[in-house]
Amino acid sequence: MTEELFGKTAHELSSLLKKREISSVEIVESVYSRIGAVEDKIKAFVSISREQALEAARKADAKLKSGENTDPLCGIPVAIKDNMCTKGVTTTCSSKILANYLPPYDATVVAKLKELGAPSTGKTNLDEFAMGSSTENSGFHTTRNPWNIETVPGGSSGGSAAAVASGESIAALGSDTGGSIRQPASFCGVVGLKPTYGRVSRYGLVAFASSLDQIGPITKDVTDAALLMNAIAGYDAKDSTSVNAPVPDYRNVLVGNAKRFRIGIISDLMGKGIDEEVKIAVRDAAKQLEKLGAIVEEVSLPTLEYAVPAYYIIAPAEASSNLARYDGVKFGRRSKDAPDLITMYYNTRREGFGSEVKRRIMIGTYALSAGYYDAYYLKALKVRTLIKQDFEKAFTRFDVLISPTAPSPAFRIGEKVSDPIAMYLSDIATIPVNLAGLPAISLPCGFSHGLPIGLQMIGEAFSEEKLLQLAYTYEQNTDWHKRKPELKGG
């Protein structure tokens, strides 16, 4: 049975653990067996924590054996995106500039999972400093999509999504700045939830764009997403953006009922630039929700067309500020070939950062520079406010808004890497949610040429319960989440 455990969901494994039919050590060994079989094809990980995971599994088994009242995630392996600090385990952000960085502390979300007894299988690959939509911008290697290894897994949390889809981890954490949880979840046929800004602590998350970044779960189904949200949500005094608001038990909202839900299909995200098969899959999903009792109508949010340009001023501006700390002095890589301090700064950043990170730092620095601040950055902030107001207006009529998660299924490796604009547009449906600070979930709703299509559900701030209930209802009445990639080991 051990070999089959990697393919099960967290809640299925939790039930077996509680019945003492399996052990956490067996689950961890099954996952590492799977990693041994397919990781050379997928390359989902930057580093593996086998011994630490087995030690955590043994402790979890002791807890379970003692009859102690344990969390459903106790003994369940979870992979961590490599931009979250892990004490004593390298945290690289998939960048050469941090290749040997060992954090002296755990990110709050990592500490919470440890406390619950969830072993960490390893650190997953990402676009360098989370800047990208395909995981091709990693400073180490490109992660591949388990459904077709010639295609990308999405980004920047491509390693986390690929690990979950391929069975290399039971669940994973990702971070989402402009779609970096939801778009990879869509490409890899798994569930990805971007919580409301402030719902999950960002303490220990290496900052990209601080007003946009949010940590969330990537899982095999909606129930597992609820379990992970229970584990990581909540106020944290160490994070000044954390919101001190009650956190519900997200498991309690997993009820199969779409009646009285008012759902708006965002017409602005169903037109030009969206693949025909993606539009058909999303409309079919809307029809399914109508059959289940929901009221579905179209809604327009006209300012969404300005979301991508606004984002690519705001996010790089914040990145240029956040990444100024990597100067070769305090921590991380330091260039040895420099006769003076200024040259050392220059060489360290030139050698340590990849081309996409350099591009965004330059864009951001330019947008914040004297004479351009008002014309670019300030204007982008005003557009952000208009987008937020468009969402607020829509939510006076609707409980949940839906759209494609991505304009297409996964594209081929190398297809967009030399065209930054085409790459940026792959986040056209996800970016507005981050600008408005709202929660959104992506879940499978179809396939195109053997590749998954994702349905995005967007809610008002702190309405994760509604999203999880509606997503769970749709999932339980379809079979998309049951399909697995035919990935052969060896």
Side-chain angles (χ1 to χ4, degrees), residues 372-396:
Y372 297 102
Y373 180 93
D374 288 357
Y376 294 106
Y377 186 67
L378 189 60
K379 190 170 283 186
L381 291 180
K382 289 177 179 178
V383 170
R384 183 181 192 171
T385 300
L386 294 174
I387 290 167
K388 193 167 182 289
Q389 288 171 350
D390 255 5
F391 274 114
E392 287 169 354
K393 185 179 176 183
F395 284 122
T396 62

PDB file of all heavy atoms in Angstrom, residues 372-396:
ATOM      1  N   TYR A 372       9.313  61.222 -12.661  1.00  0.00           N
ATOM      2  CA  TYR A 372       8.480  60.163 -13.243  1.00  0.00           C
ATOM      3  C   TYR A 372       7.510  59.547 -12.228  1.00  0.00           C
ATOM      4  O   TYR A 372       6.597  58.835 -12.603  1.00  0.00           O
ATOM      5  CB  TYR A 372       9.356  59.054 -13.838  1.00  0.00           C
ATOM      6  CG  TYR A 372      10.205  59.544 -14.980  1.00  0.00           C
ATOM      7  CD1 TYR A 372      11.549  59.822 -14.791  1.00  0.00           C
ATOM      8  CD2 TYR A 372       9.656  59.766 -16.240  1.00  0.00           C
ATOM      9  CE1 TYR A 372      12.332  60.292 -15.834  1.00  0.00           C
ATOM     10  CE2 TYR A 372      10.422  60.243 -17.289  1.00  0.00           C
ATOM     11  CZ  TYR A 372      11.772  60.499 -17.081  1.00  0.00           C
ATOM     12  OH  TYR A 372      12.535  60.969 -18.119  1.00  0.00           O
ATOM     13  N   TYR A 373       7.726  59.849 -10.957  1.00  0.00           N
ATOM     14  CA  TYR A 373       6.904  59.279  -9.884  1.00  0.00           C
ATOM     15  C   TYR A 373       5.420  59.567 -10.118  1.00  0.00           C
ATOM     16  O   TYR A 373       4.587  58.653 -10.111  1.00  0.00           O
ATOM     17  CB  TYR A 373       7.353  59.840  -8.535  1.00  0.00           C
ATOM     18  CG  TYR A 373       6.588  59.320  -7.342  1.00  0.00           C
ATOM     19  CD1 TYR A 373       7.041  58.224  -6.621  1.00  0.00           C
ATOM     20  CD2 TYR A 373       5.407  59.942  -6.918  1.00  0.00           C
ATOM     21  CE1 TYR A 373       6.338  57.754  -5.518  1.00  0.00           C
ATOM     22  CE2 TYR A 373       4.696  59.480  -5.830  1.00  0.00           C
ATOM     23  CZ  TYR A 373       5.171  58.387  -5.130  1.00  0.00           C
ATOM     24  OH  TYR A 373       4.471  57.915  -4.043  1.00  0.00           O
ATOM     25  N   ASP A 374       5.071  60.841 -10.354  1.00  0.00           N
ATOM     26  CA  ASP A 374       3.665  61.219 -10.560  1.00  0.00           C
ATOM     27  C   ASP A 374       3.104  60.624 -11.846  1.00  0.00           C
ATOM     28  O   ASP A 374       1.957  60.171 -11.891  1.00  0.00           O
ATOM     29  CB  ASP A 374       3.517  62.742 -10.593  1.00  0.00           C
ATOM     30  CG  ASP A 374       3.688  63.367  -9.213  1.00  0.00           C
ATOM     31  OD1 ASP A 374       3.856  62.594  -8.248  1.00  0.00           O
ATOM     32  OD2 ASP A 374       3.665  64.601  -9.106  1.00  0.00           O
ATOM     33  N   ALA A 375       3.915  60.617 -12.891  1.00  0.00           N
ATOM     34  CA  ALA A 375       3.447  60.168 -14.203  1.00  0.00           C
ATOM     35  C   ALA A 375       3.185  58.672 -14.237  1.00  0.00           C
ATOM     36  O   ALA A 375       2.288  58.217 -14.956  1.00  0.00           O
ATOM     37  CB  ALA A 375       4.472  60.536 -15.274  1.00  0.00           C
ATOM     38  N   TYR A 376       3.938  57.907 -13.465  1.00  0.00           N
ATOM     39  CA  TYR A 376       3.816  56.450 -13.526  1.00  0.00           C
ATOM     40  C   TYR A 376       3.280  55.846 -12.226  1.00  0.00           C
ATOM     41  O   TYR A 376       2.175  55.318 -12.183  1.00  0.00           O
ATOM     42  CB  TYR A 376       5.175  55.820 -13.889  1.00  0.00           C
ATOM     43  CG  TYR A 376       5.616  56.168 -15.282  1.00  0.00           C
ATOM     44  CD1 TYR A 376       6.631  57.086 -15.497  1.00  0.00           C
ATOM     45  CD2 TYR A 376       5.002  55.590 -16.393  1.00  0.00           C
ATOM     46  CE1 TYR A 376       7.033  57.420 -16.788  1.00  0.00           C
ATOM     47  CE2 TYR A 376       5.393  55.903 -17.683  1.00  0.00           C
ATOM     48  CZ  TYR A 376       6.416  56.823 -17.871  1.00  0.00           C
ATOM     49  OH  TYR A 376       6.792  57.140 -19.146  1.00  0.00           O
ATOM     50  N   TYR A 377       4.068  55.931 -11.156  1.00  0.00           N
ATOM     51  CA  TYR A 377       3.703  55.231  -9.916  1.00  0.00           C
ATOM     52  C   TYR A 377       2.409  55.769  -9.318  1.00  0.00           C
ATOM     53  O   TYR A 377       1.497  54.998  -9.001  1.00  0.00           O
ATOM     54  CB  TYR A 377       4.848  55.326  -8.910  1.00  0.00           C
ATOM     55  CG  TYR A 377       4.604  54.510  -7.654  1.00  0.00           C
ATOM     56  CD1 TYR A 377       4.569  53.120  -7.688  1.00  0.00           C
ATOM     57  CD2 TYR A 377       4.385  55.148  -6.427  1.00  0.00           C
ATOM     58  CE1 TYR A 377       4.343  52.373  -6.540  1.00  0.00           C
ATOM     59  CE2 TYR A 377       4.154  54.411  -5.282  1.00  0.00           C
ATOM     60  CZ  TYR A 377       4.127  53.028  -5.346  1.00  0.00           C
ATOM     61  OH  TYR A 377       3.885  52.284  -4.201  1.00  0.00           O
ATOM     62  N   LEU A 378       2.305  57.069  -9.201  1.00  0.00           N
ATOM     63  CA  LEU A 378       1.105  57.663  -8.595  1.00  0.00           C
ATOM     64  C   LEU A 378      -0.131  57.369  -9.445  1.00  0.00           C
ATOM     65  O   LEU A 378      -1.202  57.041  -8.930  1.00  0.00           O
ATOM     66  CB  LEU A 378       1.295  59.174  -8.427  1.00  0.00           C
ATOM     67  CG  LEU A 378       0.212  59.888  -7.613  1.00  0.00           C
ATOM     68  CD1 LEU A 378       0.131  59.343  -6.193  1.00  0.00           C
ATOM     69  CD2 LEU A 378       0.480  61.398  -7.573  1.00  0.00           C
ATOM     70  N   LYS A 379       0.030  57.428 -10.770  1.00  0.00           N
ATOM     71  CA  LYS A 379      -1.091  57.131 -11.663  1.00  0.00           C
ATOM     72  C   LYS A 379      -1.521  55.670 -11.527  1.00  0.00           C
ATOM     73  O   LYS A 379      -2.717  55.353 -11.533  1.00  0.00           O
ATOM     74  CB  LYS A 379      -0.709  57.442 -13.108  1.00  0.00           C
ATOM     75  CG  LYS A 379      -1.877  57.393 -14.072  1.00  0.00           C
ATOM     76  CD  LYS A 379      -1.504  57.934 -15.442  1.00  0.00           C
ATOM     77  CE  LYS A 379      -1.451  59.440 -15.439  1.00  0.00           C
ATOM     78  NZ  LYS A 379      -1.236  59.983 -16.809  1.00  0.00           N
ATOM     79  N   ALA A 380      -0.533  54.779 -11.405  1.00  0.00           N
ATOM     80  CA  ALA A 380      -0.839  53.349 -11.243  1.00  0.00           C
ATOM     81  C   ALA A 380      -1.611  53.105  -9.948  1.00  0.00           C
ATOM     82  O   ALA A 380      -2.533  52.276  -9.905  1.00  0.00           O
ATOM     83  CB  ALA A 380       0.447  52.532 -11.251  1.00  0.00           C
ATOM     84  N   LEU A 381      -1.261  53.838  -8.885  1.00  0.00           N
ATOM     85  CA  LEU A 381      -1.986  53.693  -7.617  1.00  0.00           C
ATOM     86  C   LEU A 381      -3.439  54.164  -7.756  1.00  0.00           C
ATOM     87  O   LEU A 381      -4.347  53.579  -7.166  1.00  0.00           O
ATOM     88  CB  LEU A 381      -1.285  54.484  -6.508  1.00  0.00           C
ATOM     89  CG  LEU A 381       0.074  53.965  -6.045  1.00  0.00           C
ATOM     90  CD1 LEU A 381       0.631  54.865  -4.943  1.00  0.00           C
ATOM     91  CD2 LEU A 381      -0.013  52.527  -5.535  1.00  0.00           C
ATOM     92  N   LYS A 382      -3.652  55.195  -8.543  1.00  0.00           N
ATOM     93  CA  LYS A 382      -5.023  55.693  -8.778  1.00  0.00           C
ATOM     94  C   LYS A 382      -5.842  54.665  -9.567  1.00  0.00           C
ATOM     95  O   LYS A 382      -7.018  54.432  -9.280  1.00  0.00           O
ATOM     96  CB  LYS A 382      -4.975  57.032  -9.523  1.00  0.00           C
ATOM     97  CG  LYS A 382      -4.460  58.184  -8.661  1.00  0.00           C
ATOM     98  CD  LYS A 382      -4.359  59.475  -9.460  1.00  0.00           C
ATOM     99  CE  LYS A 382      -3.861  60.624  -8.574  1.00  0.00           C
ATOM    100  NZ  LYS A 382      -3.699  61.884  -9.346  1.00  0.00           N
ATOM    101  N   VAL A 383      -5.197  54.036 -10.552  1.00  0.00           N
ATOM    102  CA  VAL A 383      -5.866  52.974 -11.318  1.00  0.00           C
ATOM    103  C   VAL A 383      -6.213  51.807 -10.398  1.00  0.00           C
ATOM    104  O   VAL A 383      -7.298  51.221 -10.485  1.00  0.00           O
ATOM    105  CB  VAL A 383      -4.980  52.506 -12.493  1.00  0.00           C
ATOM    106  CG1 VAL A 383      -5.553  51.251 -13.138  1.00  0.00           C
ATOM    107  CG2 VAL A 383      -4.838  53.619 -13.525  1.00  0.00           C
ATOM    108  N   ARG A 384      -5.295  51.491  -9.499  1.00  0.00           N
ATOM    109  CA  ARG A 384      -5.547  50.414  -8.527  1.00  0.00           C
ATOM    110  C   ARG A 384      -6.807  50.700  -7.721  1.00  0.00           C
ATOM    111  O   ARG A 384      -7.626  49.804  -7.485  1.00  0.00           O
ATOM    112  CB  ARG A 384      -4.330  50.273  -7.598  1.00  0.00           C
ATOM    113  CG  ARG A 384      -4.446  49.149  -6.589  1.00  0.00           C
ATOM    114  CD  ARG A 384      -3.212  49.105  -5.690  1.00  0.00           C
ATOM    115  NE  ARG A 384      -3.179  47.867  -4.923  1.00  0.00           N
ATOM    116  CZ  ARG A 384      -2.154  47.478  -4.188  1.00  0.00           C
ATOM    117  NH1 ARG A 384      -1.060  48.210  -4.120  1.00  0.00           N
ATOM    118  NH2 ARG A 384      -2.201  46.345  -3.510  1.00  0.00           N
ATOM    119  N   THR A 385      -6.975  51.946  -7.303  1.00  0.00           N
ATOM    120  CA  THR A 385      -8.170  52.337  -6.548  1.00  0.00           C
ATOM    121  C   THR A 385      -9.428  52.156  -7.386  1.00  0.00           C
ATOM    122  O   THR A 385     -10.456  51.664  -6.894  1.00  0.00           O
ATOM    123  CB  THR A 385      -8.050  53.801  -6.073  1.00  0.00           C
ATOM    124  OG1 THR A 385      -6.900  53.909  -5.223  1.00  0.00           O
ATOM    125  CG2 THR A 385      -9.291  54.233  -5.315  1.00  0.00           C
ATOM    126  N   LEU A 386      -9.372  52.522  -8.665  1.00  0.00           N
ATOM    127  CA  LEU A 386     -10.531  52.362  -9.556  1.00  0.00           C
ATOM    128  C   LEU A 386     -10.895  50.887  -9.745  1.00  0.00           C
ATOM    129  O   LEU A 386     -12.079  50.533  -9.775  1.00  0.00           O
ATOM    130  CB  LEU A 386     -10.243  53.013 -10.911  1.00  0.00           C
ATOM    131  CG  LEU A 386     -10.088  54.536 -10.924  1.00  0.00           C
ATOM    132  CD1 LEU A 386      -9.666  55.024 -12.301  1.00  0.00           C
ATOM    133  CD2 LEU A 386     -11.379  55.222 -10.482  1.00  0.00           C
ATOM    134  N   ILE A 387      -9.876  50.028  -9.846  1.00  0.00           N
ATOM    135  CA  ILE A 387     -10.117  48.584  -9.984  1.00  0.00           C
ATOM    136  C   ILE A 387     -10.797  48.056  -8.724  1.00  0.00           C
ATOM    137  O   ILE A 387     -11.765  47.291  -8.790  1.00  0.00           O
ATOM    138  CB  ILE A 387      -8.795  47.840 -10.263  1.00  0.00           C
ATOM    139  CG1 ILE A 387      -8.288  48.181 -11.668  1.00  0.00           C
ATOM    140  CG2 ILE A 387      -8.964  46.329 -10.096  1.00  0.00           C
ATOM    141  CD1 ILE A 387      -6.860  47.760 -11.939  1.00  0.00           C
ATOM    142  N   LYS A 388     -10.295  48.487  -7.578  1.00  0.00           N
ATOM    143  CA  LYS A 388     -10.883  48.082  -6.297  1.00  0.00           C
ATOM    144  C   LYS A 388     -12.360  48.522  -6.230  1.00  0.00           C
ATOM    145  O   LYS A 388     -13.231  47.764  -5.792  1.00  0.00           O
ATOM    146  CB  LYS A 388     -10.078  48.705  -5.155  1.00  0.00           C
ATOM    147  CG  LYS A 388     -10.354  48.138  -3.777  1.00  0.00           C
ATOM    148  CD  LYS A 388      -9.283  48.610  -2.802  1.00  0.00           C
ATOM    149  CE  LYS A 388      -9.485  48.019  -1.414  1.00  0.00           C
ATOM    150  NZ  LYS A 388     -10.637  48.569  -0.702  1.00  0.00           N
ATOM    151  N   GLN A 389     -12.628  49.725  -6.683  1.00  0.00           N
ATOM    152  CA  GLN A 389     -14.008  50.238  -6.664  1.00  0.00           C
ATOM    153  C   GLN A 389     -14.905  49.465  -7.621  1.00  0.00           C
ATOM    154  O   GLN A 389     -16.082  49.226  -7.329  1.00  0.00           O
ATOM    155  CB  GLN A 389     -14.006  51.728  -7.011  1.00  0.00           C
ATOM    156  CG  GLN A 389     -13.444  52.602  -5.901  1.00  0.00           C
ATOM    157  CD  GLN A 389     -13.244  54.049  -6.323  1.00  0.00           C
ATOM    158  OE1 GLN A 389     -13.344  54.394  -7.511  1.00  0.00           O
ATOM    159  NE2 GLN A 389     -12.952  54.909  -5.357  1.00  0.00           N
ATOM    160  N   ASP A 390     -14.369  49.043  -8.772  1.00  0.00           N
ATOM    161  CA  ASP A 390     -15.131  48.225  -9.711  1.00  0.00           C
ATOM    162  C   ASP A 390     -15.551  46.902  -9.067  1.00  0.00           C
ATOM    163  O   ASP A 390     -16.687  46.449  -9.233  1.00  0.00           O
ATOM    164  CB  ASP A 390     -14.289  47.945 -10.966  1.00  0.00           C
ATOM    165  CG  ASP A 390     -14.746  48.765 -12.161  1.00  0.00           C
ATOM    166  OD1 ASP A 390     -15.652  49.610 -11.989  1.00  0.00           O
ATOM    167  OD2 ASP A 390     -14.195  48.580 -13.265  1.00  0.00           O
ATOM    168  N   PHE A 391     -14.624  46.295  -8.344  1.00  0.00           N
ATOM    169  CA  PHE A 391     -14.951  45.053  -7.644  1.00  0.00           C
ATOM    170  C   PHE A 391     -16.016  45.302  -6.574  1.00  0.00           C
ATOM    171  O   PHE A 391     -16.967  44.520  -6.440  1.00  0.00           O
ATOM    172  CB  PHE A 391     -13.703  44.450  -7.000  1.00  0.00           C
ATOM    173  CG  PHE A 391     -12.898  43.564  -7.910  1.00  0.00           C
ATOM    174  CD1 PHE A 391     -11.621  43.921  -8.307  1.00  0.00           C
ATOM    175  CD2 PHE A 391     -13.412  42.352  -8.363  1.00  0.00           C
ATOM    176  CE1 PHE A 391     -10.867  43.100  -9.143  1.00  0.00           C
ATOM    177  CE2 PHE A 391     -12.675  41.520  -9.198  1.00  0.00           C
ATOM    178  CZ  PHE A 391     -11.392  41.898  -9.594  1.00  0.00           C
ATOM    179  N   GLU A 392     -15.853  46.369  -5.802  1.00  0.00           N
ATOM    180  CA  GLU A 392     -16.817  46.679  -4.736  1.00  0.00           C
ATOM    181  C   GLU A 392     -18.225  46.862  -5.308  1.00  0.00           C
ATOM    182  O   GLU A 392     -19.207  46.385  -4.726  1.00  0.00           O
ATOM    183  CB  GLU A 392     -16.376  47.946  -3.984  1.00  0.00           C
ATOM    184  CG  GLU A 392     -15.178  47.713  -3.078  1.00  0.00           C
ATOM    185  CD  GLU A 392     -14.579  49.011  -2.543  1.00  0.00           C
ATOM    186  OE1 GLU A 392     -15.027  50.098  -2.971  1.00  0.00           O
ATOM    187  OE2 GLU A 392     -13.647  48.917  -1.723  1.00  0.00           O
ATOM    188  N   LYS A 393     -18.294  47.538  -6.457  1.00  0.00           N
ATOM    189  CA  LYS A 393     -19.584  47.750  -7.111  1.00  0.00           C
ATOM    190  C   LYS A 393     -20.188  46.411  -7.547  1.00  0.00           C
ATOM    191  O   LYS A 393     -21.386  46.156  -7.361  1.00  0.00           O
ATOM    192  CB  LYS A 393     -19.391  48.676  -8.320  1.00  0.00           C
ATOM    193  CG  LYS A 393     -20.692  49.064  -9.015  1.00  0.00           C
ATOM    194  CD  LYS A 393     -20.403  50.002 -10.186  1.00  0.00           C
ATOM    195  CE  LYS A 393     -21.680  50.327 -10.939  1.00  0.00           C
ATOM    196  NZ  LYS A 393     -21.412  51.178 -12.127  1.00  0.00           N
ATOM    197  N   ALA A 394     -19.347  45.530  -8.116  1.00  0.00           N
ATOM    198  CA  ALA A 394     -19.836  44.220  -8.572  1.00  0.00           C
ATOM    199  C   ALA A 394     -20.357  43.391  -7.406  1.00  0.00           C
ATOM    200  O   ALA A 394     -21.359  42.667  -7.532  1.00  0.00           O
ATOM    201  CB  ALA A 394     -18.722  43.472  -9.296  1.00  0.00           C
ATOM    202  N   PHE A 395     -19.700  43.522  -6.259  1.00  0.00           N
ATOM    203  CA  PHE A 395     -20.106  42.711  -5.103  1.00  0.00           C
ATOM    204  C   PHE A 395     -21.365  43.231  -4.409  1.00  0.00           C
ATOM    205  O   PHE A 395     -21.876  42.603  -3.479  1.00  0.00           O
ATOM    206  CB  PHE A 395     -18.949  42.567  -4.103  1.00  0.00           C
ATOM    207  CG  PHE A 395     -17.904  41.592  -4.561  1.00  0.00           C
ATOM    208  CD1 PHE A 395     -16.579  41.983  -4.713  1.00  0.00           C
ATOM    209  CD2 PHE A 395     -18.242  40.277  -4.860  1.00  0.00           C
ATOM    210  CE1 PHE A 395     -15.614  41.082  -5.148  1.00  0.00           C
ATOM    211  CE2 PHE A 395     -17.283  39.364  -5.286  1.00  0.00           C
ATOM    212  CZ  PHE A 395     -15.966  39.773  -5.444  1.00  0.00           C
ATOM    213  N   THR A 396     -21.899  44.362  -4.851  1.00  0.00           N
ATOM    214  CA  THR A 396     -23.223  44.764  -4.359  1.00  0.00           C
ATOM    215  C   THR A 396     -24.310  43.929  -5.033  1.00  0.00           C
ATOM    216  O   THR A 396     -25.429  43.825  -4.537  1.00  0.00           O
ATOM    217  CB  THR A 396     -23.497  46.263  -4.632  1.00  0.00           C
ATOM    218  OG1 THR A 396     -23.480  46.501  -6.046  1.00  0.00           O
ATOM    219  CG2 THR A 396     -22.467  47.142  -3.940  1.00  0.00           C
TER     220      THR A 396
END
